């Protein structure tokens, strides 16, 4: 059985940016490890650790991509697109529910 380095993996600025770009493009951690030629067992371990550097940049990439899309939808809604308005309202309701769920499960933060 292969052991995992318990000390957090360290990434260069370029690697952090690539993790964010790839996760934002929809690649899962295993595919990112293959693309970047990183050891899968270590990436798998650090992805499962919510406070790890890998997990932070993975989640950040997904969030940045979502924010960019939502900014475009918001701009379309401001220009009167009914479809964009409906989509924006749906996303806002969903985010509000997520926030309430998070507060109930993890306390008021």
């Amino acid at each position: 059985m292969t052991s995992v380095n318990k000390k957090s993996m360290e990434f260069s600025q370029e690697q952090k940016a690539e993790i964010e770009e790839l996760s934002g493009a929809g690649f899962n951690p295993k595919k990112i490890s293959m693309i970047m030629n990183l050891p899968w067992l270590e990436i798998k371990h650090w992805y499962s650790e919510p406070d790890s550097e890998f997990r932070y940049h993975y989640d950040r990439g997904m969030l940045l991509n979502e924010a960019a899309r939502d900014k475009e939808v918001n701009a379309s809604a401001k220009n009167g697109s009914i479809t964009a308005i409906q989509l924006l309202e749906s996303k806002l309701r969903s985010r509000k529910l997520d926030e309430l769920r998070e507060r109930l499960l993890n306390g008021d933060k």
Side-chain angles (χ1 to χ4, degrees):
M1 180 175 186
T2 306
S3 67
V4 173
N5 180 0
K6 294 298 180 192
K7 183 178 176 234
S8 182
M9 290 182 77
E10 294 184 18
F11 301 97
S12 68
Q13 287 302 113
E14 294 81 18
Q15 287 176 313
K16 292 173 189 177
E18 188 170 9
I19 292 166
E20 291 175 7
E21 185 178 334
L22 292 169
S23 72
F27 288 96
N28 65 35
K30 186 170 187 172
K31 289 183 179 180
I32 291 173
S33 75
M34 291 173 70
I35 291 167
M36 296 180 65
N37 200 29
L38 298 171
W40 164 237
L41 289 179
E42 286 194 47
I43 294 300
K44 181 179 178 182
H45 171 77
W46 293 116
Y47 176 76
S48 70
E49 294 289 328
D51 294 331
S52 73
E53 188 173 30
F54 179 84
R55 182 62 179 266
Y56 172 82
H57 290 286
Y58 183 88
D59 290 346
R60 184 173 190 269
M62 290 179 25
L63 183 60
L64 289 171
N65 187 279
E66 181 181 0
R69 286 191 319 263
D70 288 355
K71 286 178 184 179
E72 289 179 21
V73 170
N74 191 38
S76 294
K78 285 181 180 179
N79 288 327
S81 168
I82 299 299
T83 304
I85 291 168
Q86 292 170 336
L87 181 58
L88 189 59
E89 288 175 349
S90 174
K91 288 194 78 83
L92 290 173
R93 277 193 303 274
S94 178
R95 281 198 184 113
K96 191 67 160 174
L97 286 173
D98 288 345
E99 286 178 28
L100 291 171
R101 186 178 307 113
E102 189 71 24
R103 281 190 205 156
L104 286 172
L105 293 175
N106 298 320
D108 195 22
K109 291 184 179 181

